[in-house]
């Protein structure tokens, strides 16, 4: 089975559906041409299986333009959760996706108010003897800065070069909708999904909110399930599927540094006055130098065998090292990689800790000249940590390292804004193997098992509180420009994602 449409069904006719824009496939029974009355049961089951999936694929292909239209509508809502000015739009995005849960056939779809942005929840419980799958996603998006680097406006979705460009296209609105459309395909073609479904969507994933953590912790029975599916990750390429086996944890911080009581004239005081922007540069340069190694002794000591690559990973990296480096350079638009260059780049991305500076604020950055020595400066800094490490401990070690390495003559304060745990997935659990089979059937080749350098703290929450396996099966691509201008989502990945999830829902029964 490939990502292309399966052979058409003989005797197919079309009937109207509750949605006049939808097409629903109905198949007439085909008379048997064989005289045998003792068909093998496996043959009958296979024929039934193929009949179901022919109808699913036909439904998905014949309604794909409508799916893209609905995605375009959702992407037009600027649900930037971190900006107070966009609070109304975040709520609007929640109400819009609530309608899609109902369209997919989920009962009891509701918006759950929290102290932050609301949660959206819905479920379809078809049979208590069937597995229950919890589906997670988020409807909020990142800010769009720098706006001038967008080719088209970030909330005016544009289709070009086989992709849809808009903020949230890949992270995570496109991937949320592909799951709901897979559920909808089952509802419209078979009358019901083959498993019990629960869906929870949050509006604070991009702003480090804690509403979902508090709600799930307080109401674990509401989210009880046999496994959770998260489509919020990338795969290796459009021709080589992959599935995630681990996520790194995260510690996000602000470092505030102050010098004089007010800004100073550089001619009058330059040479003797403390300059907090320079002080931050000195401090950050000590924490991570040009070799890419993080100078936090406790962190380096804590790296153990859980952070070591497997033999299979080492073999793959060695065999494909040059191609991996070339593809990373192409995707990032750079001529060479930096950091711990003696290590394989995928080890650095998925298994090693990182320290990244996301921005420095202080002094004069406007057009023209102003010879000022700033009184204050601030840096946004995060650490990604392997799943085997406790991020709370890492935050303590980081705070101590900032204190120990701050230059003299400054006051420095470290504020920890957000902490999220990493996650390691057991690739031998039955739900993971079902995802592998679904990907292989859609793409025509088995997926690679990869480690994702990003963080999805709620994944670790589900694993810890609900104690169920987490399946990280995403359909984004490495060049989707997540969190950057010109974010996009391949329409072919969108289509294949719907088909893969539809297969997965059957594979887990």
């Amino acid at each position: 089975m490939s990502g292309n449409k399966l052979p058409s069904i003989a005797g197919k006719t079309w009937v109207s559906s509750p949605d006049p824009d939808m097409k629903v496939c109905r198949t007439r029974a085909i008379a048997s041409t064989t005289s045998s009355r003792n068909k093998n049961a496996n043959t009958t089951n296979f024929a039934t299986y193929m009949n179901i999936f022919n109808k699913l694929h036909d439904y998905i292909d014949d309604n794909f333009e409508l799916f893209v239209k609905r995605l375009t509508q959702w992407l037009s809502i600027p649900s930037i959760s971190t900006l107070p000015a966009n609070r109304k739009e975040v709520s609007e995005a929640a109400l819009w996706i609530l309608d899609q849960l109902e369209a997919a056939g989920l009962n009891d779809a509701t918006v759950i108010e929290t102290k932050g942005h609301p949660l959206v929840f819905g479920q379809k419980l078809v049979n208590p003897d069937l597995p229950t799958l919890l589906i997670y996603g988020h409807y909020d998006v990142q800010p769009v800065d720098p706006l001038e680097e967008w080719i088209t406006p970030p909330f005016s979705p544009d289709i070009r070069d086989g992709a849809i460009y808009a903020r949230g296209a890949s992270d995570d609105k496109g991937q949320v909708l592909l799951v709901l459309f897979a559920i909808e395909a089952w509802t419209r073609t078979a009358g019901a999904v083959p498993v019990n479904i629960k869906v929870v969507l949050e509006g604070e994933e991009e702003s480090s909110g804690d509403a979902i953590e508090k709600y799930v912790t307080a109401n674990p029975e509401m989210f009880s399930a046999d496994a959770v599916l998260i489509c919020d990750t990338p795969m290796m390429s459009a021709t080589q599927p992959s599935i995630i086996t681990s996520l790194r944890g995260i510690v996000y911080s602000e470092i505030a540094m102050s010098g004089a009581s007010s800004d100073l004239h550089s001619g009058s005081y330059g040479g003797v006055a403390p300059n907090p922007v320079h002080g931050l540069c000195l401090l950050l340069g000590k924490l991570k130098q040009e070799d890419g190694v993080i100078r936090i002794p406790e962190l380096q000591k804590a790296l153990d065998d859980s952070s070591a690559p497997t033999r299979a990973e080492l073999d793959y990296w060695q065999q494909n090292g040059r191609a991996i480096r070339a593809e990373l350079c192409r995707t990032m638009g750079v001529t060479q990689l930096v950091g711990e260059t003696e290590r394989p780049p995928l080890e650095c991305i998925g298994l090693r800790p990182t320290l990244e500076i996301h921005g420095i604020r202080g002094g004069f950055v406007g057009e023209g000249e102003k010879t000022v020595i700033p009184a204050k400066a601030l840096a946004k800094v995060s650490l990604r940590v392997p799943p085997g490490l406790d991020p709370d401990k890492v935050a303590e070690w980081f705070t101590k390292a900032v204190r120990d390495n701050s230059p003299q003559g400054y006051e420095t304060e470290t504020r920890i804004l957000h902490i999220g745990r990493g996650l390691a997935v057991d690739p031998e659990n039955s739900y993971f193997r079902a995802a592998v089979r679904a990907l292989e059937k859609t793409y025509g080749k088995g997926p690679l098992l990869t480690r994702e350098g990003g963080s999805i703290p709620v994944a670790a929450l589900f694993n810890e509180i609900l104690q169920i396996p987490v399946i990280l099966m995403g359909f984004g691509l490495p060049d989707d420009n997540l969190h950057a201008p010109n974010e996009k989502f391949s329409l072919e990945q969108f289509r294949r994602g719907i088909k893969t999830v539809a297969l997965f829902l059957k594979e887990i029964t």
Side-chain angles (χ1 to χ4, degrees):
M1 189 180 300
S2 69
N4 297 323
K5 182 175 174 181
L6 294 176
S8 60
I9 310 168
K12 182 174 69 176
T13 59
W14 297 104
V15 297
S16 62
S17 75
D19 186 335
D21 292 327
M22 289 289 186
K23 296 177 182 177
V24 180
C25 177
R26 182 176 68 191
T27 307
R28 296 196 302 267
I30 303 173
S32 173
T33 59
T34 177
S35 60
S36 171
R37 295 179 179 273
N38 298 308
K39 290 184 178 179
N40 184 282
N42 289 335
T43 302
T44 302
N45 290 339
F46 179 75
T48 302
Y49 183 90
M50 291 305 297
N51 184 44
I52 291 171
F53 285 107
N54 273 325
K55 291 197 291 183
L56 282 169
H57 278 231
D58 279 337
Y59 179 87
I60 292 165
D61 286 336
D62 291 313
N63 291 284
F64 187 68
E65 289 187 8
L66 181 58
F67 292 158
V68 174
K69 179 181 178 181
R70 287 155 71 180
L71 172 58
T72 300
Q73 293 172 351
W74 203 24
L75 291 173
S76 300
I77 303 173
S79 50
I80 306 172
S81 59
T82 196
L83 300 181
N86 287 72
R87 188 174 186 86
K88 178 182 176 181
E89 288 80 2
V90 175
S91 295
E92 181 184 348
L95 292 174
W96 190 95
I97 198 61
L98 179 71
D99 290 339
Q100 303 308 305
L101 265 64
E102 294 173 343
L106 275 66
N107 302 329
D108 308 320
T110 185
V111 171
I112 301 170
E113 296 297 335
T114 73
K115 290 184 178 180
H117 297 300
L119 303 174
V120 180
F121 180 81
Q123 61 184 1
K124 182 67 174 181
L125 305 179
V126 295
N127 188 330
D129 295 329
L130 291 173
T132 298
L133 181 67
L134 175 64
I135 293 163
Y136 163 84
H138 64 91
Y139 61 86
D140 64 322
V141 301
Q142 281 273 319
V144 298
D145 307 276
L147 186 60
E148 65 275 9
E149 293 186 13
W150 286 80
I151 295 174
T152 52
F155 297 108
S156 298
D158 184 59
I159 295 175
R160 61 182 186 272
D161 304 323
I164 185 165
Y165 286 78
R167 172 59 86 230
S170 182
D171 182 20
D172 182 36
K173 290 180 176 178
Q175 302 208 57
V176 166
L177 276 183
L178 72 84
V179 178
L180 295 184
F181 291 155
I183 296 171
E184 181 180 313
W186 271 102
T187 302
R188 296 295 181 92
T189 60
V193 284
V195 295
N196 300 308
I197 295 289
K198 294 182 179 181
V199 175
V200 60
L201 308 174
E202 71 161 314
E204 297 181 345
E205 198 273 348
E206 302 289 10
S207 57
S208 304
D210 58 3
I212 191 167
E213 179 178 356
K214 290 181 177 179
Y215 200 86
V216 171
T217 302
N219 304 277
E221 69 288 342
M222 181 177 178
F223 302 96
S224 62
D226 296 290
V228 58
L229 172 65
I230 299 176
C231 291
D232 189 18
T233 53
M235 62 170 51
M236 188 70 70
S237 74
T239 57
Q240 176 56 68
S242 57
I243 186 168
I244 304 300
T245 60
S246 71
L247 297 167
R248 289 189 292 197
I250 186 171
V251 175
Y252 197 99
S253 73
E254 287 181 346
I255 304 174
M257 185 174 285
S258 59
S261 58
S262 65
D263 291 354
L264 300 173
H265 189 295
S266 66
S268 300
Y269 298 98
V272 296
N275 185 323
V277 173
H278 186 210
L280 279 177
C281 293
L282 294 173
L283 166 63
L284 297 171
K286 289 181 179 180
L287 295 180
K288 188 177 79 169
Q289 299 178 5
E290 190 174 359
D291 61 6
V293 176
I294 301 171
R295 283 355 193 240
I296 301 177
E298 298 90 343
L299 175 61
Q300 294 299 328
K301 186 177 179 180
L303 294 174
D304 56 19
D305 291 341
S306 65
S307 303
T310 65
R311 182 72 259 170
E313 287 172 321
L314 289 172
D315 290 343
Y316 178 79
W317 297 340
Q318 184 175 7
Q319 295 166 10
N320 300 276
R322 181 172 295 181
I324 291 170
R325 286 182 169 83
E327 179 60 19
L328 285 170
C329 287
R330 185 198 68 79
T331 301
M332 293 188 292
V334 300
T335 57
Q336 68 180 64
L337 306 181
V338 301
E340 297 180 278
T341 53
E342 77 283 357
R343 295 181 181 274
L346 293 186
E347 180 183 2
C348 295
I349 290 174
L351 280 170
R352 297 288 294 170
T354 67
L355 186 153
E356 297 296 340
I357 305 163
H358 304 293
I360 297 179
R361 183 173 71 230
F364 177 70
V365 294
E367 297 293 332
E369 303 176 10
K370 185 181 182 182
T371 54
V372 63
I373 299 174
K376 299 178 180 180
L378 182 141
K380 302 274 191 177
V381 180
S382 76
L383 293 99
R384 304 276 182 173
V385 297
L389 295 185
D390 180 352
D392 292 294
K393 286 290 186 183
V394 174
E396 293 178 11
W397 301 334
F398 174 70
T399 302
K400 179 177 180 294
V402 170
R403 184 172 62 249
D404 292 346
N405 288 280
S406 292
Q408 293 184 352
Y410 301 88
E411 292 185 6
T412 306
E413 179 186 4
T414 303
R415 297 189 283 264
I416 303 299
L417 303 183
H418 174 61
I419 288 176
R421 295 186 178 278
L423 174 73
V425 177
D426 176 12
E428 297 304 320
N429 78 70
S430 61
Y431 293 91
F432 188 94
R433 302 314 302 172
V436 168
R437 292 193 301 272
L439 285 164
E440 185 170 8
K441 289 176 179 178
T442 301
Y443 285 84
K445 63 173 67 173
L448 296 175
L449 308 189
T450 61
R451 300 177 189 263
E452 167 60 24
S455 307
I456 307 178
V458 74
L461 174 73
F462 289 139
N463 182 254
E464 180 181 353
I465 300 297
L466 304 180
Q467 297 184 345
I468 56 177
V470 178
I471 308 304
L472 300 160
M473 181 172 63
F475 299 89
L477 295 176
D479 62 353
D480 277 348
N481 297 321
L482 305 188
H483 296 196
N486 305 305
E487 181 180 348
K488 67 175 181 65
F489 191 32
S490 160
L491 292 181
E492 184 57 27
Q493 287 293 100
F494 187 43
R495 185 195 302 265
R496 285 184 164 188
I498 301 171
K499 293 181 177 180
T500 303
V501 173
L503 281 166
F504 174 70
L505 296 179
K506 184 61 177 177
E507 289 287 341
I508 65 177
T509 59

